[in-house]
Amino acid sequence: MIPLKIIEDLKESIIWAPSAGNLQSRKFYFVTNGEMRFDLAKAALDQQFIVEAPLVVVACADLEASSVKYSGRGKELYGIVDTALSVQNMMLTAYEAGLGTCWVGGFEEFKVKEILSIPENLRPIAIVPVGYPAENPDPPTRKEVHEMIEDVP
Ligand SMILES: Cc1cc2nc3c(=O)[nH]c(=O)nc-3n(C[C@H](O)[C@H](O)[C@H](O)COP(=O)(O)O)c2cc1C
């Protein structure tokens, strides 16, 4: 079980992420229901670790809201960016609280929408299982700084 206070901190971190025009074109489902977590894992190409997490967050972009002010760019990009920034905030807050998370992007969108009765205007962007890590794996590799960043003096 994740303490309620930590869940509240996760939610708070979500709402404070920046967003295009402060439209906050995003919506999050906090799923603790066991049957739904099972169904979400199935929709996510049977990635079973999703069921094991006591909390599964489904992050959605509100493409309608983001397109009202920013038309094509809003619809194709800003809503998704708004959502991703909130997810990153939440992941960092979770880490600080000793929790583990994983951004799961491999899933069938229509199935996830069906499971949670997600309205037409919302597009699921990420499924994020949240729980206490069972192990402490070695950190993954990264490209070198110079490979990813170009200084332009
Ligand atoms: C857009 C996106 C989609 C991802 N989809 C999955 C996924 O479906 N399953 C999974 O186990 N991890 C997924 N990941 C997690 C990455 O595999 C992970 O972030 C990467 O291997 C680096 O590891 P780290 O996050 O521990 O640094 C995804 C990450 C991103 C950003």
Side-chain angles (χ1 to χ4, degrees):
M1 280 288 280
I2 303 171
L4 214 58
K5 168 73 174 84
I6 295 177
I7 305 250
E8 280 166 12
D9 290 345
L10 297 179
K11 290 177 177 171
E12 194 70 16
S13 73
I14 281 173
I15 66 165
W16 282 105
S19 66
N22 199 24
L23 290 177
Q24 303 157 70
S25 308
R26 52 200 173 201
K27 171 126 185 182
F28 295 80
Y29 293 81
F30 274 52
V31 184
T32 49
N33 177 284
E35 209 170 304
M36 282 187 175
R37 285 185 288 129
F38 179 82
D39 290 344
L40 286 169
K42 274 192 84 174
L45 322 174
D46 277 321
Q47 300 190 67
Q48 278 308 309
F49 60 91
I50 295 170
V51 191
E52 292 166 27
L55 169 66
V56 176
V57 177
V58 177
C60 301
D62 185 340
L63 302 180
E64 212 169 271
S66 60
S67 68
V68 168
K69 196 168 172 188
Y70 299 114
S71 56
R73 197 162 165 82
K75 185 165 185 158
E76 284 151 28
L77 184 63
Y78 290 172
I80 293 169
V81 173
D82 291 359
T83 308
L85 288 166
S86 280
V87 172
Q88 177 79 313
N89 267 17
M90 184 189 76
M91 290 171 94
L92 292 172
T93 303
Y95 180 78
E96 212 176 358
L99 290 160
T101 59
C102 180
W103 179 305
V104 174
F107 57 84
E108 295 190 81
E109 282 186 34
F110 79 96
K111 286 191 184 164
V112 170
K113 288 190 82 160
E114 211 170 81
I115 292 161
L116 293 170
S117 304
I118 293 174
E120 197 54 44
N121 58 309
L122 300 180
R123 179 178 183 192
I125 304 299
I127 295 176
V128 187
V130 183
Y132 290 99
E135 50 192 89
N136 192 11
D138 292 333
T141 57
R142 287 295 195 260
K143 289 181 182 174
E144 297 294 328
V145 169
H146 69 87
E147 290 180 273
M148 207 180 287
I149 296 160
E150 181 119 4
D151 287 317
V152 185

